[in-house]
Every structure is written in C-alpha cells, then in structure tokens.
Amino acid sequence: MANIRTMTFDAVIVGGGGSGMRAALQLAQSGYKTAVITKVFPTRSHTVSAQGGITCAIASDDPNDQWQWHMYDTIKGADFIGDQEAIEYMCQTGPEAIFELEHMGLPFSRTEQGRIYQRPFGGQSKDFGKGGQAARTCAAADRTGHALLHTLYQGNLKNETTFLNEWFAVDIVKNADNAVVGVVALNIETGETVYVKSKATVFATGGAGRIYASTTNAHICTGDGIGMALRAGFPVQDIEMWQFHPTGIHGAGTLVTEGCRGEGGYLVNKDGERFMERYAPNAKDLAGRDVVARSMVLEILEGRGCGPDGDHVYLKLDHLGEETLNAKLPGILELSRTFAHADPVKEPIPVVPTCHYMMGGIPTNVNGQALTVDGEGNDHVIEGFYACGEAACVSVHGANRLGGNSLLDLVVFGRASGMFIEQQLREGIDLKDASEADIEAAMAGLNHLNDSTGGENASVLRAELQTIMQNYFGVFRRGDFMQEGIAKLAALRPRIKNVALGDKSNAFNTSRIEALELQNLFEVAEATAITAEARTESRGAHAREDFQERDDVNWLCHSVFFPSDKRVGKRGVNFNLKTREAFEPQIRTY
Amino acid sequence: MLNVSIYRYNPEVDSEPYMQDFEFDTQGKDVMVLDVLEKLKIEDPTLVFRRSCREGVCGSDGMNISGKNGLACVTPLSEAVKKGKLVIRPLPGLPVIRDLVIDMSQFYAQYEKIQPYMINNTPAPAIERLQSQEERAKLDGLYECILCACCSTACPSFWWNPDKFIGPSGLLQAYRFLADSRDTATEARLANLDDPFSVFRCHGIMNCVQVCPKGLNPTKAIGHIRDMLVRTAT
C-alpha cells in the first residue's frame, strides 16, 4: 500500500530557479493554488550563478535595434536546428518580459540616459549579420543571475506562492492514461514522503552539468527532471548537445562570463598571440561559444597552451583598466582572485573550455507542454506535463546556445508556461486520479534505495561516471571512442542502481539525496552518450572527428531519445515563422 | 595530516551534540573548507551540510569556521586553520537541525518582514522605469546580499531577539528598497521599522561587517535607516 500523505495543488512546479519561479509567479498572480518544490532554498538555485546578462532587443544601446536581428542570430547560433517559431516567440516577447522584471525591481545597470545597460556578447549582430557587433545583453554588473533570481523570489513572496523548500521530487506519478498527475516528493528535513498531486506539473529542474568532471555548474545541477522523465518512459530531445563554455577557470571550473570578452577582453596562447583572429576573423573572441571552445582546444592540442602542462589558455583583461573592471566585472575579480589566485587587474586568468549548459531536454511546444513523438513522427502532448528553462528543449538553442539567451529562455518560457496553464485551469482540466498502484510505481526507486544493503559509495560512482563523460563525450567526439564510453556506462548502470546508502536516518539525510541525484545523472549521461554516437555529423556543440561536416540531408533535425528501448529517433525542426519567411540553413561562419 | 574537529548532532541518535575529530590529508594543497567536508563525507556519509554553487554566490554553506562565520566554499585552509586545527561548527544562535545544518526560519521570517520587494503603484511605463547611474549606484553594496546568514548569526542582538530584531541581513535589504529611486513606499517601510526592536537593537559593534563574505556593510545601511527614522520623527 502506498500509505503516504497527499497534498493537492492546482499547479506544482518542480524547481525554484529562474524558470520555475517565473512560472510560479504567473500562476500565483492568477490566484491558483501553486506550489514550488525545490531541493534548495530558491535563491540557492543555479540561476544565481549567471553572470553576464540577458540578451534581448530592448533597443537601449542602439535605438534602432530589432528583435528580428536577435532572432536571426539565435537561429544561426543554433546551427539551424532551433525551432524557428519558438525563437521568434522568445525574441519578440522578450522585451515585455524584461520590462516586467525591471518593474519588479531588478537592479539593472544603467546607461547615461537611465535606460538598462546592454553589453556586447558572442554571436550578436546587427542587420542580420551584416551590420557588425551588437550590444544587446542586458546586465546587472556581472551578477545578472543573482539579481534576477532574487527579484523573482521577492515577486513570489509578494504574491504568496507556496514554497516547499528543501523538498526533493523523487519520481513522476502517472495515471491510467499515461498522463502526469503530480510527483512523489521527499521532505529533506523530516524524511517524510508525500504524494504531491496536481493537474499541471511543471518541470523547471535545470541542467545536469555534473555529468562531466569539469563543469561550471553547481553541485545541485544533476538533471533530476530529465532523470524522472526518462524513468517515466518519456523521451528527451537533442540531449547530445552540451555547451562547453570557453572560459571556465582552469582547475576550479568556475565560470568567467563571456561579458569579459564583450567588454574588450581577449584570449591569448602561450606566445601571447590573440589566436581567435585566425579562427574567426570577423567576430574574433565573440564568435559562437562552440567555435571559441574548439579553437581553444586546438591551440592546446597543437602545443600552444599555457602553464607548465600547456593545458589552458589565458583570458587577458588588464588592458581594460582597474576602474572599468571594478565597475563592470566586480564579481569576476572576486572569483579570479579566489579560485585562480590571479588578479585580473594585473595578470590574465587561466581558462579552459568547461561544461556549461544542456541545450537538449524535455521536448515542449511554446506553451511549455511536454511532447512525445509517435512512430510516424507526429507530436503528441503529454497531458498534465510541462517543462521550461534548461530542463526543457523548446527548442530555442538548437545545437549551440548564444550567451545571454538562457536567462531570456527561462523568463519567457517560464512566463508562457504559467500563462498557458492558467488558461487551461480556467477552462478546466480533467485528469483521472492516480491509483494506489500508480503512486507505488513512483515510490519503487526510492524504496529500492532505502532497502539497499551493501553497494558502492555514491561519490566514487559519481566520479567514475563523470570521468567517462569527460573522456569520451567532450568537446571533440569520435565514434569508436564513444562506443567504448557507452559500453563503460552500461557496465556502470547496475552498480549505480545498487548504490550504497550509508545513512538511513530521516533527518536531513543528504546521502539519500545524493544517491537519488546520482541515478538521475546516470540517466542523462546514458541518453547523451547514445544520442551523441548516433548523430553522425558535426553541428554546433556536437563536433565529431569522424564526421567533420554538417549533414543537412540526414541531420537537419532534432534527435529524440526513447528510454524504453534506448532508440534514437528524429523529429522535424520547426521552420514556421509567423512574421516572415523562414531562415534557410546557410554555412555558419563568424 | 590536518586535525579537523566538526560539530555533530543527529536528533534521531544523539541526546546532545558533540565534537568529532577527523584527520584530513591536505597533500600540501590550500583547498577550500568545502573540499575538506566533501572528502570527509565520502568516509562518513552521515556527515551533513548544505552546499550548492561552490563559488560563493548562492549562500548555502555559511558555517562557523574556526570561530568566524563564513562560506566554506570560498574559505581556504590558509585562512581557516588556527593553531594547526580546523574547527567547524554550525552558524551560531539558530536551532540546529542536524550537524552543520541550521533551521533558518527565523532568519527568513525577518527578511520577509521588511517587505523585500519593489513597491510602486504608479502605472508602469511601456518600457523600463528610468533610473540614473547615480541613483543606481546607491544600490551597490546592498543588492549583492546572498542571504547566507553569516552576519545575522554573528550578531549578539540577533541572538537575543531573533523574533523582534530584524538583524543585519534583513536591514541591509530594507535599506536596499529604501534607497531605490523606483520604490515609492518609503514612508510605509519606515513606519514598519519604527519600534524599539526592529532597527534600534543594533549597537553598532560591526560583527556583521567583519564576517560578510561579500564584503558588504550592514552597519552602514542600518545607520542610514536610523537617520531616516530620526528625520521622519522630527
């Protein structure tokens, strides 16, 4: 018997980061009973680490800026497998969403005219790539994520959203119709397990950068939503597409914003050469992140890396002057001094491409409704199930996300999901209740863990997983290596399923949470590995040594990974712009 | 080998808290305190602490490190080890849930009490509200607060009256909204703080300034609020 308490809400949002809190805010404002389940206090969510800004054509820096130019840049940046309808919606709706945040109090930096400050970021152009670099990324110094996350939390306090803080969602509850009717969640402080029942379940669970050994992501970025979706039998899309940020601090992995290069910083190799001029003669250091990351790895592989082991390059900022650095990049000075023991005012920061962002995720439409695909390639909405933010693949980032577009994505689609669910609730949502057996099915994994005897240490298994992903599925990929990596993962699966639980107590048991997170990481890693091996081309962040060209004939499409039979299918890219003709694929150069 | 002494308490097992000694091999590296805790947790999975960003921006891992409140992830051993020993306790003054995890409800309640959100009931323009660079500069040193509670739990006035004294963190945020040119609720905000406890229990001993991992100055902000309260009273 699933003898657990039930809590009922109109809408439940899993994840208290930017997208989850934006969705929650929308629903709380509408008066619907809304709960946010979040495994950390909301302002500890990883959105807080976003630095450089939120890209959006608000026409502050350039009064003639157009959202259509931003749309073009995003489609090109995505290497043409971003859904154009979603990108159009994001770029067009963006300004409204940004102004709302400002009205809520977000402390943006300002221009002399008192408008929101915008800085140049990679891949941003004027006039559809013909008018040079655009400054389109709205910033609160280099703490934009912090400012945004706190503002959203404050907005939710004002609107009295219910927060289940330090609760961990364990698994999805499905009813007899395969619709999602809530989650089983664990109160971390007490150990109590509860069925959180809802007509609308939104996954805003963020990314999973912790599948790699070297990542800018917080410890908490363990792909819990993706893990839950896969275990429930739902597919994920473009999960092979992982962004490696060019500038993670060597050794520590902490992020150094692209805003550094936006403000005039640049990368140099051991000879002091500004090498990006060779790889991207026009955009140079502000080419797409995938392009810059690959160029850095090539410099290192060809023996021009810096340091005693030649395993990183330098990011030079000192020429910008102390005053500018203090005003525009104060957080970076702090991070570099702490983690690189380098003072950017005087010396360069040692940096290396570092796993940063999951472009793939739960496929959704622009309303946040999660989708699955049938044998004929037709989309079907999964009733009751929604996703937004990094956990979703709506898909606005395609094969490579542009800097500053993640914050825009989470605000625009958190908002859109909230608005759509509000409308659905008003019209009435009719879903069958879960049976006892349905709830028990969602408890099975947790029960297995709680009953475990023996097994291996979660930290040790996690390190093994991360090493496999780092070695076999990094910046450059090759078929035979990836097959080896897939075999190693297969051998790891039973060991992770039987992970040891060295602490069986109920009060704030973080070992139990880490074991559950490890199982989620594994699901993401395996889906990544199998899909990466299947995509036999190079596109965006997915760079294969054995298939170096983009293959539009076979792969101008989304990949879809189906967990039940570990099959990789294809799904068409949306080319249906509402306001103009679609942007046709072209050779992508910077 | 480094001697590490850690506060332990599991309400299900322990009748009272105790200090437990661990040995940690630094391998000659100046790692962060959080790195030490993560490694020790592999040996002892029952050791409990909060952590998230590991770069000093999320505020999860505030704890008392060799007598001083700070964030474990940005405190290197070279600063943390005193007399050859590392002593780690939970932040003082609030109830302990388990080991290094404290119950922060009272801290958050004080934050909520100051109405930590923009109040401006004038119709919003179609674009952003304008704010000059000088007006915006007034928010620097205020909006960066990460709610780690290092300051409030270093404050004797907060230890005595955690239910009535807002504490340095909450007051820093109160001033963040009082100082914002876009906020129109100055009078109501001041009225809300105008009692013997909310603000005036601060005795200016500046423990908060000494421990803030973000280099912020709550005492200065509290001084500004006092000035505003005195001015409205006369």
Side-chain angles (χ1 to χ4, degrees):
Chain A
M1 284 293 284
N3 190 19
I4 59 171
R5 185 160 67 98
T6 300
M7 292 166 77
T8 306
F9 297 93
D10 293 319
V12 60
I13 288 133
V14 184
S19 67
M21 287 211 287
R22 186 62 190 83
L25 178 67
Q26 199 68 36
L27 286 158
Q29 281 172 339
S30 70
Y32 284 104
K33 198 178 166 200
T34 307
V36 176
I37 297 175
T38 171
K39 64 178 178 175
V40 293
F41 182 78
T43 63
R44 326 283 183 216
S45 305
H46 188 54
T47 304
V48 83
S49 291
Q51 298 171 350
I54 176 164
T55 303
C56 187
I58 61 161
S60 162
D61 181 81
D62 174 2
N64 299 315
D65 196 14
Q66 293 181 18
W67 65 264
Q68 289 89 346
W69 299 346
H70 180 202
M71 168 170 69
Y72 165 82
D73 292 336
T74 303
I75 290 168
K76 177 185 169 189
D79 219 347
F80 300 94
I81 60 162
D83 284 335
Q84 299 201 2
E85 183 192 12
I87 294 170
E88 179 182 51
Y89 178 81
M90 177 176 80
C91 296
Q92 187 174 21
T93 317
E96 204 180 321
I98 300 285
F99 296 140
E100 281 170 1
L101 288 171
E102 196 281 334
H103 298 155
M104 280 165 60
L106 200 157
F108 282 111
S109 301
R110 298 289 167 158
T111 65
E112 280 178 16
Q113 288 71 41
R115 293 207 60 193
I116 293 170
Y117 171 72
Q118 293 183 292
R119 61 165 49 113
F121 246 53
Q124 295 297 332
S125 76
K126 297 182 184 185
D127 195 17
F128 305 106
K130 299 190 287 281
Q133 177 72 41
R136 189 175 288 138
T137 303
C138 308
D142 57 357
R143 302 187 182 96
T144 315
H146 164 92
L148 185 145
L149 190 65
H150 281 255
T151 302
L152 284 173
Y153 180 59
Q154 293 161 352
N156 275 285
L157 284 180
K158 193 176 184 178
N159 287 284
E160 299 177 352
T161 304
T162 301
F163 282 99
L164 300 176
N165 289 336
E166 296 183 323
W167 282 54
F168 186 86
V170 174
D171 262 314
I172 291 171
V173 177
K174 294 192 292 183
N175 70 8
D177 300 328
N178 217 28
V180 174
V181 286
V183 291
V184 164
L186 182 66
N187 178 338
I188 300 174
E189 185 179 330
T190 64
E192 189 193 10
T193 309
V194 174
Y195 167 39
V196 183
K197 178 182 170 181
S198 180
K199 293 170 194 149
T201 303
V202 185
F203 272 20
T205 48
R210 287 275 156 181
I211 63 169
Y212 287 94
S214 171
T215 175
T216 64
N217 284 194
H219 285 293
I220 58 169
C221 299
T222 53
D224 302 326
I226 307 295
M228 284 187 272
L230 289 169
R231 276 196 299 276
F234 300 132
V236 292
Q237 177 172 283
D238 295 338
I239 197 72
E240 72 278 27
M241 297 298 180
W242 284 86
Q243 177 162 83
F244 287 79
H245 195 290
T247 55
I249 291 179
H250 174 246
T254 32
L255 173 67
V256 177
T257 175
E258 185 170 302
C260 290
R261 284 169 283 138
E263 298 290 349
Y266 54 85
L267 298 163
V268 294
N269 60 22
K270 73 167 183 188
D271 304 320
E273 183 204 6
R274 187 176 177 180
F275 58 86
M276 279 313 298
E277 290 178 337
R278 272 189 278 121
Y279 296 95
N282 297 312
K284 300 183 180 110
D285 295 82
L286 288 178
R289 285 181 177 171
D290 55 333
V291 175
V292 180
R294 277 194 292 276
S295 307
M296 291 167 72
V297 172
L298 287 173
E299 286 299 296
I300 291 165
L301 291 176
E302 288 169 12
R304 292 185 295 277
C306 305
D309 298 325
D311 58 355
H312 56 273
V313 300
Y314 283 133
L315 172 64
K316 191 171 142 43
L317 294 174
D318 58 296
H319 58 285
L320 300 176
E322 190 166 2
E323 200 181 324
T324 303
L325 293 175
N326 277 328
K328 305 263 177 75
L329 302 165
I332 293 306
L333 298 184
E334 205 178 306
L335 283 172
S336 177
R337 286 165 186 157
T338 306
F339 289 102
H341 305 293
D343 182 355
V345 173
K346 299 185 202 118
E347 56 203 323
I349 310 173
V351 291
V352 70
T354 305
C355 171
H356 183 57
Y357 189 84
M358 176 177 82
M359 267 78 73
I362 298 163
T364 72
N365 59 25
V366 290
N367 298 319
Q369 291 180 289
L371 305 171
T372 186
V373 187
D374 68 19
E376 277 82 55
N378 300 312
D379 291 351
H380 295 275
V381 164
I382 303 169
E383 295 298 331
F385 193 31
Y386 305 79
C388 54
E390 191 171 344
C393 183
V394 55
S395 121
V396 286
H397 310 304
N400 172 64
R401 175 173 72 76
L402 293 184
N405 268 356
S406 60
L407 293 185
L408 187 65
D409 169 10
L410 63 83
V411 173
V412 167
F413 291 104
R415 181 179 180 269
S417 304
M419 292 192 305
F420 183 76
I421 293 167
E422 182 187 343
Q423 184 197 324
Q424 297 276 98
L425 286 168
R426 212 179 299 122
E427 289 168 8
I429 298 175
D430 191 21
L431 295 176
K432 275 186 202 136
D433 279 348
S435 66
E436 289 281 321
D438 294 331
I439 299 168
E440 264 186 41
M443 300 272 299
L446 179 62
N447 289 338
H448 177 81
L449 177 68
N450 286 337
D451 295 341
S452 77
T453 51
E456 294 169 77
N457 188 294
S459 306
V460 175
L461 291 169
R462 187 174 56 222
E464 252 187 71
L465 171 71
Q466 291 168 335
T467 304
I468 294 170
M469 294 309 291
Q470 193 78 29
N471 291 348
Y472 297 97
F473 304 94
V475 174
F476 286 103
R477 299 165 171 183
R478 211 174 86 186
D480 51 346
F481 281 167
M482 287 195 282
Q483 280 158 13
E484 216 175 302
I486 291 167
K488 283 179 189 280
L489 286 175
L492 198 54
R493 180 179 271 280
R495 294 168 60 201
I496 285 181
K497 184 170 169 47
N498 292 316
V499 58
L501 182 59
D503 179 4
K504 302 252 180 174
S505 55
N506 286 316
F508 222 98
N509 185 337
T510 53
S511 283
R512 180 179 287 133
I513 301 303
E514 285 183 32
L516 294 168
E517 288 175 331
L518 172 65
Q519 293 176 339
N520 291 328
L521 281 174
F522 182 83
E523 297 297 342
V524 183
E526 186 192 61
T528 299
I530 292 173
T531 316
E533 198 272 336
R535 188 181 276 273
T536 49
E537 66 157 353
S538 289
R539 180 185 301 271
H542 180 64
R544 287 188 62 150
E545 291 170 31
D546 45 355
F547 295 92
Q548 296 189 4
E549 300 299 319
R550 193 174 82 188
D551 177 1
D552 284 349
V553 176
N554 296 300
W555 286 105
L556 184 67
C557 62
H558 298 295
S559 67
V560 184
F561 175 80
F562 297 91
S564 47
D565 52 0
K566 301 193 201 306
R567 176 171 56 89
V568 179
K570 295 180 180 181
R571 179 170 172 250
V573 172
N574 178 305
F575 284 94
N576 303 322
L577 289 179
K578 291 203 169 85
T579 57
R580 56 167 291 151
E581 283 174 21
F583 292 96
E584 293 300 322
Q586 46 171 263
I587 303 294
R588 181 167 162 258
T589 55
Y590 285 100
Chain B
M1 293 298 266
L2 174 69
N3 180 260
V4 187
S5 177
I6 303 178
Y7 178 102
R8 301 301 306 270
Y9 175 66
N10 179 349
E12 289 171 37
V13 184
D14 305 318
S15 55
E16 56 186 38
Y18 63 98
M19 297 300 290
Q20 184 181 1
D21 281 339
F22 295 85
E23 294 286 310
F24 179 77
D25 184 2
T26 62
Q27 299 176 321
K29 287 188 204 150
D30 188 17
V31 298
M32 300 294 175
V33 172
L34 181 62
D35 299 326
V36 175
L37 289 171
E38 293 279 0
K39 290 245 164 64
L40 292 178
K41 190 173 171 63
I42 299 175
E43 292 167 31
D44 181 356
T46 69
L47 176 63
V48 173
F49 49 91
R50 292 186 175 107
R51 87 282 181 272
S52 173
C53 75
R54 61 80 168 89
E55 57 189 25
V57 298
C58 80
S60 295
D61 61 351
M63 49 190 79
N64 186 274
I65 302 164
S66 297
K68 188 180 172 188
N69 291 354
L71 301 178
C73 60
V74 289
T75 306
L77 288 181
S78 54
E79 281 173 28
V81 176
K82 301 276 150 77
K83 292 179 185 162
K85 201 171 174 181
L86 174 63
V87 183
I88 310 175
R89 295 170 177 273
L91 290 175
L94 290 175
V96 173
I97 295 173
R98 181 174 171 184
D99 293 350
L100 303 173
V101 174
I102 54 165
D103 178 352
M104 296 175 76
S105 316
Q106 283 181 312
F107 172 80
Y108 295 135
Q110 294 299 353
Y111 173 68
E112 288 177 32
K113 214 188 263 180
I114 63 102
Q115 299 185 295
Y117 36 79
M118 175 74 64
I119 300 175
N120 184 332
N121 294 327
T122 62
I127 59 165
E128 69 270 43
R129 289 195 162 94
L130 299 183
Q131 184 174 48
S132 72
Q133 290 178 334
E134 293 70 30
E135 287 166 337
R136 170 60 184 76
K138 290 183 179 156
L139 306 183
D140 286 334
L142 304 173
Y143 83 96
E144 300 94 324
C145 174
I146 58 174
L147 303 177
C148 65
C150 284
C151 62
S152 293
T153 62
C155 174
S157 297
F158 188 74
W159 296 340
W160 282 109
N161 293 295
D163 53 336
K164 287 187 260 184
F165 174 50
I166 302 286
S169 171
L171 290 171
L172 186 82
Q173 290 315 293
Y175 187 60
R176 176 250 173 277
F177 289 97
L178 286 167
D180 197 320
S181 61
R182 301 169 295 172
D183 189 275
T184 58
T186 303
E187 276 178 39
R189 289 183 186 282
L190 289 174
N192 187 31
L193 295 170
D194 196 6
D195 62 69
F197 281 92
S198 295
V199 179
F200 289 101
R201 284 284 135 167
C202 169
H203 299 301
I205 62 168
M206 296 180 75
N207 278 11
C208 52
V209 182
Q210 205 203 346
V211 298
C212 176
K214 304 310 287 180
L216 310 178
N217 189 334
T219 307
K220 194 169 151 196
I222 295 169
H224 288 307
I225 300 175
R226 280 172 186 267
D227 288 348
M228 292 174 92
L229 282 169
V230 171
R231 248 182 288 144
T232 41
T234 51

